[in-house]
Amino acid sequence: MSAPLAIQNLSRCWDSLDDLLGGLDAPQWATPSLCPGWTVRDVAIHLAAVEYMLSGEPPGSMTESLPFHKVAEWTNDVEDLDDDGVLARYRQMIAARRTELAAVTDDQLALASATPVGPGTYERFMAIRVFDFWVHEQDIRAPLGLRGHENGQAAEMAIDEIYRSLPYIVGKKVGLPDGMSITIEIDGGVERTMHVAVAGRAGLVDALDDPDVVLRADSTTFALLACGRIDPQGPIDDGRISWTGDAAWGEAAARNLAFTM
């Protein structure tokens, strides 16, 4: 029996990131990532530290809160290691989590769990981990000029997380007024058309006949903008993001996609 999709996609993220980290030299490990204040090394440490936080915590055991103190424990434990040492410990941690998740049952995945976005299930938490790993991989790849893993099921699942947040983004961050609507078309690694209409409050809709704004971007640029990783001016200037329809609200949308998960 195949593993649930969230677990499969997490494994895909682990494989892709392992290939990336395994080929880096010392200057690359020290390169600032797109995640503010973090180098490539810091990102790798963070990702493994969160997996350490989850290790040994059975599904259903974290319903009220998450043991964030374990993140600091693991980070402090490896911070004085050289890059090879960090990579070795990262790989050990991921291998341990692979073993744990291979034994998790469908019933366990459905158990209630605290997540970074509020109460959910353990499976929902693992989908959020896919989002986190995929975005952080792009945080590393972009400044190093090593594009990759921009398509496939893990990328699709990461975009799903942004899609779920579009009502908040459009209603609160962009501030699209009542009665207006927007279509967002992304292409490249992930191809998708998404619609939001504001009727009292912003909400996802299946289709729009005549949206007030159509925003277009490649999927990786869209994700990095939504995660607040890049200044919108660059993609606006070079055409990676563009809009038609209401010009003022199109520009407002392009400049205000960032949300915090």
Side-chain angles (χ1 to χ4, degrees):
M1 184 172 65
S2 62
L5 185 57
I7 307 303
Q8 292 181 44
N9 284 338
L10 194 50
S11 182
R12 291 181 177 107
C13 288
W14 289 340
D15 289 343
S16 183
L17 192 57
D18 187 89
D19 287 344
L20 175 62
L21 295 176
L24 301 183
D25 59 23
Q28 289 172 317
W29 276 92
T31 297
S33 76
L34 291 185
C35 193
W38 284 1
T39 64
V40 169
R41 174 189 167 99
D42 294 330
V43 171
I45 288 174
H46 164 75
L47 288 170
V50 176
E51 292 307 305
Y52 175 75
M53 178 190 79
L54 294 170
S55 67
E57 306 287 345
S61 67
M62 301 178 293
T63 56
E64 300 300 323
S65 62
L66 299 173
F68 285 115
H69 65 277
K70 293 174 64 177
V71 173
E73 288 175 7
W74 200 88
T75 300
N76 292 336
D77 192 41
V78 304
E79 63 182 359
D80 291 332
L81 298 177
D82 61 18
D83 297 336
D84 288 341
V86 168
L87 179 58
R89 291 290 299 278
Y90 169 90
R91 285 172 164 166
Q92 289 171 4
M93 192 65 256
I94 298 304
R97 284 291 289 154
R98 284 188 195 272
T99 299
E100 284 187 344
L101 289 180
V104 171
T105 67
D106 289 345
D107 287 344
Q108 288 177 307
L109 287 170
L111 291 173
S113 179
T115 81
V117 297
T121 65
Y122 195 78
E123 185 169 17
R124 175 82 176 96
F125 198 168
M126 294 306 98
I128 294 169
R129 294 303 298 140
V130 172
F131 171 81
D132 201 36
F133 265 92
W134 185 84
V135 172
H136 278 312
E137 181 178 347
Q138 300 308 318
D139 286 339
I140 292 172
R141 287 185 177 279
L144 295 179
L146 299 172
R147 295 184 64 167
H149 201 197
E150 296 182 71
N151 61 0
Q153 293 189 60
E156 294 276 358
M157 185 169 279
I159 295 296
D160 286 344
E161 293 298 327
I162 302 171
Y163 176 70
R164 289 187 180 94
S165 298
L166 281 180
Y168 171 77
I169 294 170
V170 170
K172 300 297 185 181
K173 303 297 289 185
V174 177
L176 197 67
D178 192 25
M180 295 189 72
S181 60
I182 183 170
T183 290
I184 300 173
E185 298 177 350
I186 59 174
D187 60 13
V190 175
E191 297 186 357
R192 195 173 298 189
T193 301
M194 302 167 284
H195 310 281
V196 178
V198 184
R201 60 185 300 176
L204 298 167
V205 294
D206 292 335
L208 289 169
D209 292 332
D210 188 23
D212 295 285
V213 178
V214 177
L215 192 72
R216 298 179 178 88
D218 71 87
S219 56
T220 301
T221 295
F222 172 72
L224 293 177
L225 287 169
C227 294
R229 297 304 206 255
I230 55 177
D231 187 328
Q233 193 62 52
I236 290 171
D237 288 344
D238 63 24
R240 281 178 289 157
I241 189 165
S242 61
W243 56 88
T244 55
D246 188 298
W249 283 109
E251 181 174 358
R255 293 187 181 279
N256 293 282
L257 290 174
F259 77 107
T260 301
M261 177 175 253

